[in-house]
Amino acid sequence: MKPIYLDHASTTKLNEEVLKEMMPYLRDQFENPSSLYEAAINNKKAINQSRKKVSEIINAKPSEVYFTSGGSEANNWALKGVAFSYTEKKEIITTPIEHHSISHTVTFLESIGYTIHYLNVDEEGFIDLNHLEQLINKDTLLVSVIMANNEIGTIQDIKSVHSICKIHDVLLHVDAVQAICHIPVDVQGLGVDLLSFSAHKFYGPKGIGCLYVKDGIEIENLIHGGKQEQGIRSGTENVAGIVGMAKAMEIKIHNMTEESERQIKMASYLYNRLRNSIEQVKLNGPKIGSKRRLPGNINLSFKDVDASIMCFILNKKGIYISTGSACNSGAIEPSHVLKAINVPDDFIEGSIRISLGEATTKREIDVFCDEVIELIENDLV
Ligand SMILES: Cc1ncc(COP(=O)(O)O)c(C=O)c1O
């Protein structure tokens, strides 16, 4: 049986049309875009056309779009690049529910003298804007907030975060890796200064991402070398990746609204099926169907269940999901996100994340629900 893949927040399958668009650059059109002969210049043109497409989709200028190796690099660059450019300010405000590419980066910055403040979040993962108003001050260098949470799907009110940053003249970075192409993202409408995203979350290739940097903002180079990406991010461009990313965005934006509605219906169906059969199940994050939750995200905790055993058994049956735990130096640690939203101790280890995708069918959801109900009813996890 074909595996049932319910882990799209982790990564997605490359779209066939995207692969087709990339193929020439993986084979025959291999020349270095920085070289001066015609074939190379054509590759440079392909990069610039892709940059234009990407910029139009997020409502930016092409000169504000910098290609990176993915979301982690974009996040690292945003934070360290700004810190190394505006050295007079030493405080950063972020949230306790960031992806590790932000949380570990701020820990690094703390180790070299920065003060990091974490915003309070409520039980659904929404940040406390009053707390932001209290924390922000003349020494604040940057506010960095995850737009849509990768574990619990919470979508933050970025416009309101921006309004506060604007009053205090503080830069705003947004990790939009889970948001782009799943919910509308307009950099000017949101008012952000820097914004990160990554192609493999929307059926594009892995190893390619982007950092939007608003014109006028200085950002120190982290990868020194040649003059690529306007001289601030060196390295021979991943032409196939860049072309693939732009194509994937173009396709995904086209059917985003329709697909979101379909996924919301399937997410409610899945949740209701489990809720009707299992007494002790708790939904983490905002209500399913809420405009402030990622459409395909369902994060559940089962009381007194070991989610790692559940995942292991489901994996044997060809069903792929994520747990709410991470393996850190051999020990299973409950996720920092679930801890931050105060998931009770007797639920936290029984937490799973299901993330739906374009190919997910109702039949797959039924198979998944049947298996989970059986495991719990028979006390097998
Ligand atoms: C919210 C968020 N930020 C950043 C990343 C890192 O992106 P990449 O895998 O492209 O490095 C991820 C990946 O899971 C993510 O979910």
Side-chain angles (χ1 to χ4, degrees):
M1 196 178 78
K2 193 174 138 241
I4 295 180
Y5 184 75
L6 298 173
D7 199 19
H8 291 83
S10 172
T11 196
T12 56
K13 185 176 173 190
L14 188 67
N15 177 296
E16 282 298 322
E17 257 185 86
V18 172
L19 176 63
K20 225 163 112 190
E21 192 97 350
M22 291 169 69
M23 275 320 275
Y25 302 97
L26 290 167
R27 267 200 308 234
D28 301 332
Q29 289 168 234
F30 63 90
E31 298 83 2
N32 191 320
S34 298
S35 298
L36 296 179
Y37 31 84
E38 194 180 342
I41 293 166
N42 286 340
N43 289 345
K44 186 71 152 191
K45 279 187 190 154
I47 293 175
N48 288 336
Q49 277 161 7
S50 300
R51 197 186 308 280
K52 189 162 176 286
K53 266 192 212 169
V54 171
S55 68
E56 280 166 4
I57 291 171
I58 62 168
N59 195 19
K61 296 181 207 153
S63 60
E64 296 172 321
V65 166
Y66 296 86
F67 293 112
T68 66
S69 64
S72 298
E73 184 192 326
N75 281 343
N76 269 264
W77 189 18
L79 271 55
K80 294 175 190 165
V82 162
F84 300 158
S85 280
Y86 299 91
T87 49
E88 67 289 358
K89 292 186 179 184
K90 296 283 183 200
E91 293 190 24
I92 294 172
I93 301 174
T94 187
T95 84
I97 57 167
E98 297 295 311
H99 184 265
H100 283 143
S101 53
I102 293 290
S103 60
H104 291 171
T105 303
V106 294
T107 306
F108 162 74
L109 289 169
E110 192 172 27
S111 76
I112 58 166
Y114 286 81
T115 301
I116 313 299
H117 300 284
Y118 295 91
L119 294 167
N120 294 336
V121 291
D122 69 15
E123 292 203 338
E124 292 185 337
F126 291 112
I127 57 173
D128 178 351
L129 294 171
N130 292 327
H131 194 205
L132 175 59
E133 273 174 354
Q134 286 159 21
L135 290 174
I136 204 162
N137 70 77
K138 62 174 182 18
D139 293 323
T140 311
L141 164 76
L142 176 79
V143 172
S144 183
V145 172
I146 185 165
M147 184 166 185
N149 189 269
N150 48 309
E151 293 191 38
I152 56 173
T154 311
I155 298 170
Q156 304 294 343
D157 177 0
I158 298 297
K159 273 192 190 174
S160 297
V161 175
H162 165 250
S163 304
I164 299 170
C165 291
K166 194 168 172 216
I167 294 170
H168 296 269
D169 200 17
V170 166
L171 296 175
L172 172 60
H173 166 253
V174 164
D175 173 354
V177 169
Q178 294 286 339
I180 286 255
C181 293
H182 297 282
I183 56 171
V185 175
D186 168 342
V187 290
Q188 291 189 53
L190 292 170
V192 300
D193 298 298
L194 303 114
L195 182 135
S196 314
F197 51 103
S198 179
H200 73 101
K201 305 291 185 183
F202 47 83
Y203 310 89
K206 294 175 181 56
I208 185 75
C210 185
L211 182 65
Y212 157 79
V213 185
K214 192 166 148 185
D215 265 358
I217 290 170
E218 283 171 34
I219 180 159
E220 186 60 54
N221 186 355
L222 297 188
I223 302 180
H224 297 95
K227 290 270 174 240
Q228 294 88 353
E229 297 302 296
Q230 301 180 57
I232 58 168
R233 196 278 184 184
S234 304
T236 302
E237 297 92 335
N238 174 359
V239 187
I242 292 169
V243 167
M245 178 168 189
K247 183 70 182 174
M249 280 182 94
E250 199 176 54
I251 296 172
K252 195 67 183 81
I253 282 294
H254 192 65
N255 74 357
M256 184 176 75
T257 313
E258 213 178 293
E259 179 57 19
S260 293
E261 282 166 14
R262 192 187 77 92
Q263 287 188 17
I264 288 171
K265 282 195 195 128
M266 289 213 294
S268 328
Y269 175 73
L270 184 154
Y271 179 49
N272 286 329
R273 267 214 63 193
L274 294 183
R275 193 163 60 151
N276 290 338
S277 304
I278 301 166
E279 227 174 88
Q280 301 278 21
V281 59
K282 185 183 166 329
L283 176 72
N284 300 314
K287 268 192 12 210
I288 298 213
S290 154
K291 281 206 159 29
R292 299 193 63 189
R293 181 179 194 118
L294 276 178
N297 170 288
I298 307 133
N299 191 306
L300 301 172
S301 296
F302 302 100
K303 188 164 185 262
D304 298 327
V305 159
D306 185 334
S308 53
I309 298 180
M310 182 186 277
C311 274
F312 180 79
I313 299 174
L314 291 176
N315 162 54
K316 291 265 173 222
K317 293 176 183 272
I319 301 172
Y320 302 158
I321 58 162
S322 270
T323 59
S325 316
C327 194
N328 287 322
S329 23
I332 306 283
E333 273 282 313
S335 107
H336 63 289
V337 174
L338 299 181
K339 281 204 239 168
I341 60 165
N342 286 324
V343 174
D345 286 349
D346 47 353
F347 278 86
I348 201 159
E349 279 173 14
S351 305
I352 58 170
R353 179 191 67 187
I354 304 120
S355 42
L356 313 179
E358 282 180 359
T360 309
T361 62
K362 181 167 168 290
R363 187 199 66 82
E364 290 182 324
I365 289 178
D366 278 326
V367 173
F368 165 77
C369 290
D370 290 344
E371 294 290 350
V372 170
I373 293 166
E374 194 187 319
L375 290 176
I376 295 200
E377 277 179 351
N378 295 309
D379 254 340
L380 298 172
V381 282

